[in-house]
Amino acid sequence: DKGAAAAAEVAFSLDLPEGRCIGVRLLPTGCDDDDDCDREWVRSCLHPSEAEYGLSSLNSSKALESFVAGRVAMRAALRSLDASSEEEDAREDDDEASLLGPVGPDEVVVLRDEHGRPALPPGYLGSISHKGRMGAALVTRTTADTTITNGGPNEGVGIDLERTSSSPPKGRRRRKS
């Protein structure tokens, strides 16, 4: 089992002042509207609890793909951050096989907390964004108390993916100078 390594590729990996940021691109599944194939594909990419949530709660294949992309990106970012802090680690930080490999049963389950943030282990802050078959995650370590107080988090990080175009919107033309 290759996990997400057979289903995704690392699009970018950045060390930012805010933490480790990794983007992934899902590869075509080859399922062609085959529900059993889709379910196996999702299960091969995610922790069983994440797969169960996605398969039972998301109503469209596009929403499910987007969910998978975000979780694969977050897991890769967590793995990369952890690998970079281990002394004399045999892996390179951004080796796709280690970042996108199979999900072990003891790995972190990346679902949402009651405020919609990724529920990560104590000592980590993270953000997920996804658009279509692209997912990105930003994760950092923290020593701060990240519990919710007065209705909001004490600390956080954020990331967003947006589709951009260099073409003018339909119906508008660029003026010549």
Side-chain angles (χ1 to χ4, degrees), residues 5-162:
E9 62 186 3
V10 174
F12 60 85
S13 178
L14 304 168
D15 282 319
L16 302 173
E18 296 79 9
R20 179 68 49 91
C21 183
I22 293 194
V24 299
R25 179 181 305 105
L26 297 182
L27 302 173
T29 63
C31 289
D32 298 326
D33 297 327
D34 178 346
D35 284 345
D36 290 335
C37 178
D38 281 338
R39 289 179 179 283
E40 286 309 308
W41 174 79
V42 169
R43 287 187 179 105
S44 74
C45 295
L46 302 178
H47 185 282
S49 297
E50 296 164 352
E52 180 59 34
Y53 171 83
L55 291 168
S56 65
S57 302
L58 302 173
N59 298 325
S60 74
S61 61
K62 287 187 179 196
L64 185 58
E65 282 182 345
S66 189
F67 175 80
V68 169
R71 271 42 195 188
V72 169
M74 178 55 78
R75 181 156 291 102
L78 285 164
R79 287 174 173 176
S80 180
L81 189 65
D82 286 343
S84 69
S85 68
E86 294 174 8
E87 293 181 324
E88 297 188 34
D89 189 43
R91 316 181 281 196
E92 291 183 16
D93 287 355
D94 297 330
D95 172 38
E96 280 197 23
S98 62
L99 296 181
L100 301 177
V103 180
D106 296 332
E107 287 196 66
V108 174
V109 176
V110 183
L111 295 175
R112 298 182 302 183
D113 68 12
E114 63 274 13
H115 298 278
R117 303 178 307 177
L120 299 176
Y124 292 91
L125 288 173
S127 178
I128 297 172
S129 183
H130 37 77
K131 294 278 187 239
R133 299 181 68 79
M134 289 290 299
L138 175 63
V139 67
T140 191
R141 286 193 182 80
T142 183
T143 56
D145 176 10
T146 58
T147 57
I148 304 299
T149 56
N150 299 323
N154 287 333
E155 185 178 14
V157 295
I159 188 169
D160 194 21
L161 287 176
E162 292 295 331

